[in-house]
Amino acid sequence: MAGRVVVITGASSGIGAALAERAAAAGDAVMLVARNEARLRGVAARCGKEAHVHPADCTSRLEVRRAVAAAVARFDRIDVWVNNVGQGITRRPSELSEEDVELMMRVNVHTALFGMQEVLPHFRDRGTGHVINVSSMLGRVPFAVHRSAYNGAKHFLNALTANFRSEMQEAHPGIVFSLVSPGVVYTDFGKNAVHGGPDSRSFPQGQSAEEVADVILQVMETRAPDVYTRPGSHDRVVDYFDQVGRDPA
Ligand SMILES: NC(=O)c1ccc[n+]([C@@H]2O[C@H](COP(=O)([O-])OP(=O)(O)OC[C@H]3O[C@@H](n4cnc5c(N)ncnc54)[C@H](OP(=O)(O)O)[C@@H]3O)[C@@H](O)[C@H]2O)c1
């Protein structure tokens, strides 16, 4: 096995599926995790023989722990763990229920928290490892009012990623954490949002899942801490904070 061992959650469709195919084509062994086994098998069939399928619901810590064990049993090690599971919501903040908020936290935060915590003992034992968390531009700037609790959950994920990085930096400098923030991506994300909503493919200036996958592959090489997938995103973020935040005069 020449390349890295890469575990990708949310690999049955969209960005995760595209990343699995791109990583496999680059020579990596991939383990694909999501709930829908049939779809995972379809993706794996396009990834070659070093692809392993592991159905799991990543909102369950136990199932994530089992996924870590399955990857180590199959490949002897994990080099990169990509927390890519995520789900949107279509609901304005004034209409949010407690259940909406809890669901957004479970699917967008707990899944990544469990991934980071459950792979950590393996990375500590090896003294090396790379976690990549797939966030969103909406995790930095809450542009889309109708995504409300999703934006909040991704903001939480961003903070958690930065704090994990700081915690590990001193004692385990070989363990690194990257955050990747796409803008609109033409996947089923919009259609899969809680309470329905517009298809992501109906928005202008989106990226393909393959373009985003290529950026994530680069991050595996550079181990950069914080990366936007769409050119111009950094300037949009700076403009936003220039307008909303001011020191007292
Ligand atoms: N598309 C966009 O516009 C966009 C923009 C910014 C950020 N993102 C982020 O990119 C990531 C990937 O989204 P996508 O666009 O590829 O959407 P997608 O096509 O809806 O993919 C979501 C993936 O997550 C899996 N998943 C959902 N809940 C799960 C659970 N409880 N346990 C295990 N797997 C679960 C789904 O598979 P199963 O149903 O088989 O479990 C699927 O593979 C997400 O974190 C999303 O927030 C997307």
Side-chain angles (χ1 to χ4, degrees), residues 10 12-13 15 35-36 57-58 84 135 150 154 183 185 187 192:
S12 64
S13 68
I15 294 168
R35 293 165 302 182
N36 189 314
D57 181 343
C58 295
N84 168 70
S135 182
Y150 170 79
K154 290 293 195 182
V185 189
T187 67
N192 289 338

Side-chain angles (χ1 to χ4, degrees), residues 204-215:
Q205 296 183 317
Q207 289 182 296
S208 69
E210 289 71 25
E211 283 173 81
V212 173
D214 284 340
V215 175

Side-chain angles (χ1 to χ4, degrees), residues 9-17 33-37 39-40 55-60 63 83-88 106-108 111 133-138 147 150 154 157 180-193 200-201 203 207 209 212 229:
T9 73
S12 64
S13 68
I15 294 168
V33 184
R35 293 165 302 182
N36 189 314
E37 183 169 357
R39 274 201 253 128
L40 284 176
D57 181 343
C58 295
T59 61
S60 154
E63 292 198 27
N83 287 309
N84 168 70
V85 168
Q87 187 178 17
R106 269 202 306 279
V107 75
N108 293 295
T111 56
N133 290 336
V134 179
S135 182
S136 169
M137 270 294 275
L138 297 177
R147 292 280 184 243
Y150 170 79
K154 290 293 195 182
L157 176 63
V180 174
S181 300
V184 172
V185 189
Y186 293 148
T187 67
D188 288 338
F189 177 82
K191 289 201 272 187
N192 289 338
S200 303
R201 294 173 185 87
F203 293 111
Q207 289 182 296
V212 173
T229 67

